[in-house]
Amino acid sequence: MPVRFPGHTKQELTRLLKIALPLIAAFLSEYLMFVATKMVVGQLGYLELAAVGISGDLTFEVLVILIGLLSIVGVLCAQAEGLGEKKQAGLAVRQGFIISTVVGIPAMAIVWNMDIVLVWTSQDPRVIELARPFLYCITPSVLAVLYFSVLRSFVAALSRPKAVMYITVAAVPMNYLLALLLVNGGWGIPALGIAGAGLAMTIASWTMFILLLMHVYITDDLRGYGIFASRWKIDLAICREIMVLGIPVAGLLIFEASLFTVVSVLAGIINAETLAAYQITVAWFGIPLVVAIGIAEATMVRVAQGVGQGDWRKARNSGMFGIACGVLLLAMMIVFPVGLTDTIISVFISEEDPGFTTVSALATNFLFIAALFQVFDGLQAIAARALRGLKDSLVPLWIAGFGYWVMGIGGGILLAFVANMQGIGLMWGLAMGLFSTGVLLAVRFYRLTAYRIIRQLRQAERKNSE
């Protein structure tokens, strides 16, 4: 069945961008908070950069997995909005807060003790020792990030994410200035080093959540969804739906997170210079990824709204349109890591650093490979969320398991250690994993929606014949 983009393509693009652009700005701002933290800490030395990089990666992978589980709240809100059921959307948000608390408390314990993972994976003892204070100080941010993600999903599902954009954009300079102050000291505050970077991110995270909560509370039409109305009770049916649909999504994100985390760990096993070069590369290709995630979240909302309206053709066209827009934009962004390699490297490490020559040479090669696979990294993000809008989460889990672990990690280990390609081999493993996963998920969305459309047409024909 051929793909037909919406008849009013300009209108569809407008609707997509209305959701996507504020979310892109918001996700990019959240990501830049961590990049800015790396920039501040990187001036202390490449060991400090490696420590904050790997411990931050592990922490944020835990958060990304839980946010994936909670993203079903956005799907439920978007479908309720398509049906015109405001109270049902508000109820889903309240259950999202309850689940956030239940999963967030053990997640805080995991983050606090994340240094155990660094010990188990034989990281440089100097890196482990430096990472501990950062982990301790960033732990309190976990609940704030989860609560914020629930409210962000809610306003995005209503196609009103501008407040999220304003809050997160403002949080970037606040986090950067706090990091400078707390890491290096000043104004009567002692230099806290890496611990100060973690504390700055915790303060920024709680500030973001409180501001968004206030926005939802004081905005009359948002309050009309009943988030703050009535007593907060556990609705077992909605909680069960969130968990049943969300656990496979979390599983998919575990596979995705493990791909990047395992590569980070393996890079550290090779040596600290490879790990530092990988952290610089991650700092770049995280940018096109968060751009893709903004488009992906908007695509998920548009698909879910189509499903809520009972229009599978609309859902299918919105999904394919989002995928096409994302792939085109990320292909255009290839010029940056290829043309600005030296600039990207210089942001994170000084030429006076004793490891500069080795780290910069590795990072140059890594960035070239990242430029090649960033399109497929974005493709898998958009296709996965388009499927999420259809409430299809189990099959994508198995696709991710094959793509990320068999092709990505398995291929990377073979190339890095068996073929002795070292860090270059790890990066080509990433490329294989992202390529296979992105293509398979996109094919899954295409075939599943084609089946649903045909089924809907046959049901309509039977009804007419009767």
Side-chain angles (χ1 to χ4, degrees):
M1 179 177 291
V3 177
R4 293 184 179 88
F5 289 146
H8 300 290
T9 302
K10 184 177 180 180
Q11 292 181 9
E12 179 63 23
L13 180 62
T14 300
R15 294 189 184 103
L16 180 72
L17 293 181
K18 180 181 178 181
I19 307 170
L21 289 178
L23 288 178
I24 289 172
F27 291 137
L28 189 59
S29 297
E30 290 178 1
Y31 181 71
L32 288 177
M33 286 172 62
F34 188 44
V35 172
T37 300
K38 285 185 179 181
M39 290 169 59
V40 173
V41 173
Q43 299 307 309
L44 301 177
Y46 77 92
L47 287 172
E48 286 81 359
L49 173 61
V52 167
I54 192 169
S55 57
D57 284 348
L58 292 169
T59 298
F60 291 120
E61 301 310 350
V62 172
L63 291 171
V64 165
I65 291 164
L66 296 181
I67 290 171
L69 185 151
L70 294 168
S71 68
I72 299 301
V73 173
V75 176
L76 297 180
C77 289
Q79 292 192 359
E81 180 72 0
L83 290 167
E85 297 286 347
K86 288 188 174 184
K87 298 299 182 183
Q88 196 67 16
L91 181 59
V93 173
R94 293 202 298 272
Q95 303 312 301
F97 277 124
I98 292 170
I99 293 175
S100 295
T101 305
V102 171
V103 301
I105 292 173
M108 292 174 67
I110 291 172
V111 172
W112 182 275
N113 294 286
M114 194 68 77
D115 60 313
I116 295 174
V117 176
L118 303 181
V119 174
W120 285 347
T121 54
S122 303
Q123 299 300 303
D124 189 315
R126 296 170 297 174
V127 171
I128 297 171
E129 191 62 30
L130 287 167
R132 287 192 178 106
F134 178 79
L135 290 168
Y136 298 155
C137 290
I138 203 173
T139 295
S141 70
V142 170
L143 282 177
V145 172
L146 297 182
Y147 293 154
F148 183 82
S149 73
V150 171
L151 285 181
R152 179 177 60 201
S153 295
F154 167 65
V155 296
L158 308 184
S159 302
R160 298 184 57 177
K162 285 187 177 180
V164 175
M165 176 184 70
Y166 296 142
I167 291 169
T168 50
V169 168
V172 175
M174 182 187 76
N175 177 76
Y176 178 70
L177 293 174
L178 276 173
L180 279 175
L181 176 63
L182 297 175
V183 170
N184 301 310
W187 296 73
I189 298 175
L192 301 178
I194 285 181
L199 184 57
M201 297 195 73
T202 292
I203 295 171
S205 297
W206 277 103
T207 302
M208 289 165 57
F209 164 64
I210 292 170
L211 289 174
L212 185 55
L213 183 67
M214 290 172 58
H215 168 73
V216 173
Y217 184 80
I218 65 177
T219 305
D220 290 339
D221 54 342
L222 292 179
R223 288 190 68 183
Y225 285 80
I227 294 176
F228 305 99
S230 71
R231 290 190 303 163
W232 284 40
K233 298 178 181 178
I234 297 177
D235 187 306
L236 292 178
I238 293 180
C239 286
R240 186 182 301 112
E241 185 171 17
I242 292 173
M243 296 303 292
V244 168
L245 295 173
I247 287 175
V249 172
L252 184 153
L253 289 169
I254 288 173
F255 285 135
E256 181 182 357
S258 65
L259 175 64
F260 293 100
T261 302
V262 169
V263 170
S264 182
V265 170
L266 292 174
I269 291 174
I270 293 172
N271 53 53
E273 290 82 1
T274 300
L275 175 57
Y278 176 72
Q279 291 302 324
I280 292 172
T281 308
V282 168
W284 159 252
F285 71 69
I287 293 176
L289 176 59
V290 296
V291 169
I293 290 174
I295 297 173
E297 292 288 328
T299 301
M300 182 184 76
V301 169
R302 295 291 298 148
V303 170
Q305 288 174 346
V307 173
Q309 295 167 6
D311 191 339
W312 282 95
R313 188 176 295 278
K314 178 180 179 181
R316 193 259 188 95
N317 289 340
S318 292
M320 296 304 298
F321 188 79
I323 289 172
C325 288
V327 167
L328 178 61
L329 179 58
L330 293 176
M332 294 169 61
M333 291 179 68
I334 289 176
V335 65
F336 294 107
V338 173
L340 299 174
T341 303
D342 292 340
T343 302
I344 294 171
I345 294 171
S346 66
V347 169
F348 296 97
I349 187 169
S350 168
E351 292 185 11
E352 286 73 37
D353 193 293
F356 176 80
T357 301
T358 302
V359 171
S360 61
L362 288 168
T364 298
N365 291 324
F366 290 178
L367 283 166
F368 175 77
I369 300 171
L372 300 178
F373 69 63
Q374 70 185 36
V375 174
F376 297 99
D377 194 13
L379 174 62
Q380 60 85 21
I382 301 170
R385 283 163 178 78
L387 287 165
R388 204 174 302 168
L390 303 176
K391 293 186 176 180
D392 179 47
S393 56
L394 188 56
V395 173
L397 171 64
W398 300 115
I399 290 175
F402 169 77
Y404 295 141
W405 274 90
V406 177
M407 299 297 294
I409 295 175
I413 290 174
L414 288 174
L415 292 173
F417 300 104
V418 178
N420 201 33
M421 293 175 66
Q422 301 292 298
I424 298 294
L426 293 178
M427 294 299 294
W428 281 118
L430 269 176
M432 292 190 297
L434 295 170
F435 172 82
S436 56
T437 304
V439 170
L440 290 173
L441 288 173
V443 170
R444 168 70 178 173
F445 180 82
Y446 181 91
R447 296 184 64 180
L448 182 59
T449 50
Y451 167 75
R452 294 291 179 88
I453 292 170
I454 292 171
R455 182 179 171 184
Q456 191 174 50
L457 289 173
R458 287 175 178 171
Q459 288 175 343
E461 289 173 358
R462 262 197 312 269
K463 186 175 180 180
N464 291 333
S465 63
E466 293 173 356

